[in-house]
């Protein structure tokens, strides 16, 4: 049933959007997205104020390698995770629209092209072939239980950073299935938010239900994107939405999320691609011993949030 929905949605989108892509040399007329990184640990759609950043927890787990281990008592845990929701928003002039494609199922990944909306006639490329820009991005089918769909890889990165600027821990998940999951808090200040009709509305309707070819590992094409005024989030209980802090000493750190870090996707503005939250980690009974025993879970406290800033502590 889901497969049928996705196919019908893509057919409807193709029929509504213009089949003739704007020329790449018409750059002044193209409306670009602007990806804004939300503060880690804040629910999608919040302004990033510290009292609103409650979408996180500390989770001791038995298996350090499990993508999504059940939280257990510290006495039986072998690893401790800081789990947090992450979200990216489009506050630009045009939609973020990406098409992935591969020629055969023998290829494990799809190459990605970025499609850009024409500001003069409103047309939006409706296929991989019509999309104007090649990118360095690629998609990969993530088989983990909470995903099982095509991820846009290297779209966002997580890191725990010391006050001296040294990266202490990095993520194990950097792929996302992009769609319109929530409205940004300042949507009223944005131009070109999709209305009820036209190409932008048709695309937004598709992106609201976008599951990135869920349960379709043999798919040859996939669509990913975020409309103007919308955002995509992964909530903290989801696979890989964590950093392993088992061996992180007591201290103050920045939890930093960065979207489009390699700038392979064209945007109007890259200055808001990182957001951070300063936090303190303390081990009340000391850090885990050489045998991996966790004497007690660390106490983590958020100190302040820094929307649009890569440093906070």
């Amino acid at each position: 049933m889901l497969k049928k929905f996705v196919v019908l949605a893509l057919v409807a989108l193709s029929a509504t959007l213009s089949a003739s892509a704007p020329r790449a040399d018409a750059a002044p007329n193209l409306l670009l997205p602007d990806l804004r990184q939300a503060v880690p640990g804040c629910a999608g759609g919040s302004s990033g104020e510290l009292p609103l950043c409650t979408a996180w927890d500390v989770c001791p787990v038995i298996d350090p390698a499990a993508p999504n281990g059940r939280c257990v008592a510290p006495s039986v845990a072998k690893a401790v995770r800081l789990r947090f929701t992450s979200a990216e928003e489009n506050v630009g002039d045009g939609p973020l629209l990406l098409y992935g494609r591969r020629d055969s199922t023998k290829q494990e990944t799809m190459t990605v092209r970025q499609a850009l909306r024409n500001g003069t006639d409103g047309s939006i490329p409706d296929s991989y072939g019509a999309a104007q820009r090649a990118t360095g991005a690629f998609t990969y089918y993530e088989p983990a239980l909470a995903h099982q769909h095509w991820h846009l890889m290297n779209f966002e990165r997580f890191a725990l950073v010391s006050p001296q600027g040294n990266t202490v821990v990095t993520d194990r998940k950097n792929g996302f299935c992009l769609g319109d999951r929530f409205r940004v808090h300042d949507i009223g200040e944005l131009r070109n938010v999709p209305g009820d009709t036209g190409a932008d509305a048709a695309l937004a309707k598709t992106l609201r239900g976008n599951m990135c070819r869920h349960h379709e590992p043999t798919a040859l094409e996939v669509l990913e994107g975020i409309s103007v005024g919308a955002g995509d989030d992964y909530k903290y209980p989801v696979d890989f939405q964590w950093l392993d802090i088992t061996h992180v000493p007591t201290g103050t750190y920045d939890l930093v999320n960065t979207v489009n870090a390699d700038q392979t996707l064209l945007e109007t503005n890259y200055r808001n691609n990182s957001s951070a939250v300063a936090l303190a980690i303390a081990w009340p009974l000391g850090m885990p011993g050489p045998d991996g025993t966790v004497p007690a879970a660390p106490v983590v406290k958020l100190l302040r949030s820094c929307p649009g800033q890569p440093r906070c502590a």
Side-chain angles (χ1 to χ4, degrees):
M1 186 66 184
L2 180 59
K3 180 177 180 180
K4 181 178 180 182
F5 169 79
V6 173
V7 171
L8 290 176
L10 290 175
V11 170
L13 174 64
S14 179
T16 306
L17 302 184
S18 169
S20 58
R23 291 164 52 90
D25 58 5
N29 296 327
L30 300 180
L31 300 184
L32 305 184
D34 176 14
L35 294 173
R36 180 174 67 188
Q37 176 65 60
V39 174
C42 298
S46 74
S47 61
E49 299 173 17
L50 192 62
L52 303 177
C53 298
T54 59
W56 64 277
D57 68 6
V58 175
C59 180
V61 297
I62 294 176
D63 182 2
N68 187 8
R70 180 171 60 91
C71 300
V72 299
S75 59
V76 297
K78 295 298 181 183
V80 180
R81 294 170 176 173
L82 176 61
R83 305 192 303 178
F84 47 89
T85 292
S86 60
E88 318 80 32
E89 304 168 337
N90 181 5
V91 293
D93 297 322
L96 174 70
L97 179 57
L98 307 168
Y99 292 102
R101 189 179 73 181
R102 59 178 175 167
D103 296 326
S104 162
T105 56
K106 295 180 180 179
Q107 298 170 301
E108 291 187 356
T109 63
M110 299 184 191
T111 58
V112 171
R113 294 187 66 86
Q114 182 177 3
L116 302 170
R117 182 189 186 278
N118 190 302
T120 301
D121 62 20
S123 60
I124 304 175
D126 65 349
S127 67
Y128 178 93
Q132 300 98 325
R133 290 192 70 253
T135 74
F138 65 96
T139 65
Y140 163 77
Y141 186 81
E142 174 54 63
L145 186 61
H147 299 284
Q148 298 187 32
H149 51 199
W150 287 87
H151 273 174
L152 178 69
M153 303 304 293
N154 301 320
F155 180 66
E156 184 187 40
R157 305 310 302 255
F158 316 146
L160 198 67
V161 181
S162 74
Q164 295 74 36
N166 299 318
T167 298
V168 179
V169 183
T170 57
D171 63 86
R172 292 180 56 187
K173 170 192 185 294
N174 51 46
F176 287 77
C177 165
L178 300 182
D180 292 359
R181 317 299 181 197
F182 62 85
R183 291 161 61 94
V184 301
H185 71 94
D186 52 352
I187 191 170
E189 302 174 11
L190 303 178
R191 300 179 299 173
N192 304 327
V193 174
D196 297 326
T197 60
D200 293 292
L203 176 60
K205 182 177 180 181
T206 297
L207 291 176
R208 281 193 294 272
N210 190 36
M211 293 297 290
C212 304
R213 310 305 288 265
H214 196 228
H215 293 159
E216 293 187 64
T218 61
L220 299 180
E221 296 184 349
V222 68
L223 175 151
E224 309 230 7
I226 306 174
S227 300
V228 174
D232 181 276
D233 61 347
Y234 270 68
K235 298 176 174 57
Y236 66 93
V238 174
D239 294 358
F240 297 116
Q241 281 297 135
W242 45 264
L243 291 177
D244 189 326
I245 60 171
T246 310
H247 303 292
V248 176
T250 293
T252 301
Y253 302 90
D254 279 332
L255 173 58
V256 186
N257 282 13
T258 301
V259 64
N260 192 24
D262 59 3
Q263 300 185 7
T264 189
L265 305 178
L266 191 62
E267 304 181 47
T268 60
N269 171 31
Y270 297 101
R271 294 185 299 276
N272 56 359
N273 284 30
S274 291
S275 284
V277 59
L279 54 83
I281 298 176
W283 294 89
L285 299 181
M287 295 181 64
D291 61 352
T293 302
V294 180
V299 176
V300 176
K301 181 180 180 181
L302 301 192
L303 304 176
R304 55 189 164 273
S305 64
C306 297
Q309 301 295 325
R311 300 297 301 275
C312 201

